[in-house]
Amino acid sequence: MSGASGGQKRPPPNWILQHPAYQQMKDLQIEDSAQVHAAFLVYMDLTEVRRWKEVSCVKSSELQVVLLEAREKEGAPTLTILPLPAHQSVTHKSIRHVLDRGFPVLLCAVAADSTLVYQRMTDGLVTPDPPVGPFQDMGRRQHRKRRQQR
Amino acid sequence: MQQVLVLLNVVVSININQNNQSIISISHSGNPMSMFVCHGAQKPTRTSEEDAAPAVGVSLCDSAPLVWRMQDLRAVRAQGLVGALLGSLPRTPRQNGRLGRPLLLLPEEEGLLRENRKPARPVCLMCGCSQQDWGGAELRQKYEEEERRSFEEQSVLALEDRKSALLRAMTGEYSGAASADDALRRRLQALDQNFTFPQSAMAVQLSTARAGLSYCPEARAFLQACGPTGAEPRCDARYQVFRDLRGRGFYLTSAGKFGGDFLVYPGDPLRFHAHFIAVCVSLDESVCLLDVLAVARLGSNVKKTVLLCSPGPDPGVCYTSLQWSGMI
C-alpha cells in the first residue's frame, strides 16, 4: 500500500527480545546467550504453562549462568531451576554449586526444538520409591507356562 | 547302603564307601561298564590358619583376580564383597543360570582386600598362605597312592555287585531249590577266583576341593613378582567411591547392564534389589548433558536412583541423586 517501503514488509520485531523478563535476564550480564535463551524458555514454561508462583531469575556468579527460583504453588518450598541447552556439558562441581544454595534443584535440559526435560537433583542418597502393589504370588504359573512351551 | 535301579538291562547301583564318597557303578548283564565316583560333602582339611585371620588366597589370571577355594569365597562374602562367579558347576555344566567357582573380583574389591589384610601376616595375596608346601613329586606320589586305594575299593565293590547280580539271575530263573544252590555255589566260587577288575573300568576321582596355587611353586613365584597394575584417574575415583559406600554398609556389584559403574544394594544382593546406580565422575570432569539425561531416564525406568559420585577434596565423597521430576 505504501510504495515508499519498496513492497517488502519489514519482519515483525522479535517478541522474545522485547519481553520484560528477557530484558531482566539480559541485565544480569551473562555472556552465554544460548543459556539466557534457554532460561527464558523455561521461564515461559513455568509461568504460562505450569503457572508456578513467584518465578524470578538470579545470577550465579561462579557458574556464569541464569538460575530461576520458583514455587510450584502457594506455600510450597522454593526450588532452584538450572536451565541448560542440551548440547552443553556440565561438571559435577557446578551441580554442587547450585545445590549449595540450599534449595532443591531442578535441572532443565532445553533441546534445539524447545523441548524441556526436568530432572530433580538432591544431595545425598535418596532411596527410590518401592514398586506399587498389589503383589501376586506367581507360584507355579511360570513353571507351567515354560512346560507348555516345551 | 545300597540302592539298585534296573534300567533296560543295565544295572545301576550306588554304594557309599568309607570316605563318604558315593560310587555309582553301571553294569550291563553283570559286566561292569563304567563307574563314577562322586564327592560327598567334603570339608576342607586346613582349618586352623584360615579361621584365625581372614587372609584370602587370590590368584591372578592375566590381570583378573580370581578366588578358587571355598573357604576363601566364604571369607570374601563375609567381608561384604560380592564378586561374580565365572565357572560352570560340575554337575550342571550346560547352563548359565547358576555358575560356579572361580569368583572374579572387581579391581576395587581386590584393592579393599589388600587394604584390610592384617599387617601381622606379610603374605602376598597370590599364594594360598598355606604352610603345607607340596612339591611336584610329593603331589604325584600322593595322587598315585590315592588312585591305588581307590582301585582296590572299587574292585571289592565290583565283585560284590557281580555276585549279587548272579544271585538274582540264578534264583530268578531256577525254581528247584537244591540244584540251584549247588550251581549257585559253584558259580560264586568260580567268580571269586576268576574275577578281575580291569584298570580301564576304574573310575577316576576329580578332586574339586584342592584347587589353588599350592602345588605350582613356579607359577606362584612368577605371580609374586608382578604387583598390581597402576591406576588411572578414573580408577582412583571408582575406588574411593567403592570404599566409602562399602564402609556405609552397602553391597556393590558391577553395573555394566545399566550403563553405570556400580549397583548399590542396601544388603546382600541375594535378598534385595539394588537401590542405586552409581556413576563415578571426578568433580571437574565435564559430562555431556544428554548422557546425564540418558542415565537418569534409564534409572527411572528400572526404579533405581542414579547417583553421581565424586570423591571430594575433603576425605569423603559427595553424592547427588538424580530422580525423575514427574513433570511431563
Side-chain angles (χ1 to χ4, degrees), chain B residues 127-315:
Chain B
C127 65
C129 75
S130 151
Q131 298 304 319
Q132 304 172 21
D133 235 358
W134 291 333
E138 278 184 51
L139 194 74
R140 195 178 310 124
Q141 217 182 0
K142 207 169 188 301
Y143 178 72
E144 282 170 1
E145 265 177 44
E146 285 186 12
E147 216 181 271
R148 229 176 299 130
R149 203 175 10 104
S150 174
F151 180 74
E152 281 163 17
E153 285 175 11
Q154 287 181 38
S155 24
V156 167
L157 288 170
L159 183 58
E160 278 179 27
D161 273 344
R162 266 296 197 93
K163 284 191 190 168
S164 54
L166 192 63
L167 235 99
R168 236 172 303 118
M170 299 290 280
T171 50
E173 279 184 77
Y174 300 118
S175 46
S179 57
D181 276 342
D182 278 343
L184 195 57
R185 236 180 298 121
R186 258 182 286 123
R187 290 281 289 267
L188 284 175
Q189 268 180 2
L191 197 59
D192 264 328
Q193 290 161 1
N194 305 337
F195 180 71
T196 48
F197 183 51
Q199 187 88 15
S200 54
M202 185 186 91
V204 178
Q205 176 174 347
L206 300 172
S207 161
T208 52
R210 216 170 45 201
L213 284 184
S214 48
Y215 50 91
C216 296
E218 311 86 12
R220 201 168 356 109
F222 173 72
L223 288 172
Q224 272 179 11
C226 43
T229 51
E232 316 147 15
R234 206 123 205 275
C235 287
D236 192 47
R238 281 178 57 131
Y239 182 64
Q240 300 278 346
V241 172
F242 185 93
R243 202 168 46 158
D244 188 67
L245 283 175
R246 188 67 207 84
R248 294 186 193 212
F250 292 102
Y251 284 66
L252 294 112
T253 57
S254 80
K257 290 187 200 166
F258 293 93
D261 284 311
F262 301 113
L263 276 181
V264 184
Y265 295 79
D268 196 292
L270 289 172
R271 297 173 56 208
F272 296 93
H273 281 299
H275 279 181
F276 305 104
I277 303 172
V279 177
C280 305
V281 289
S282 55
L283 275 176
D284 299 317
E285 193 179 328
S286 79
V287 182
C288 185
L289 202 53
L290 292 176
D291 292 339
V292 173
L293 288 183
V295 78
R297 189 71 168 207
L298 173 60
S300 72
N301 271 351
V302 294
K303 293 194 181 47
K304 299 187 206 304
T305 304
V306 176
L307 274 187
L308 285 180
C309 320
S310 302
D314 45 345

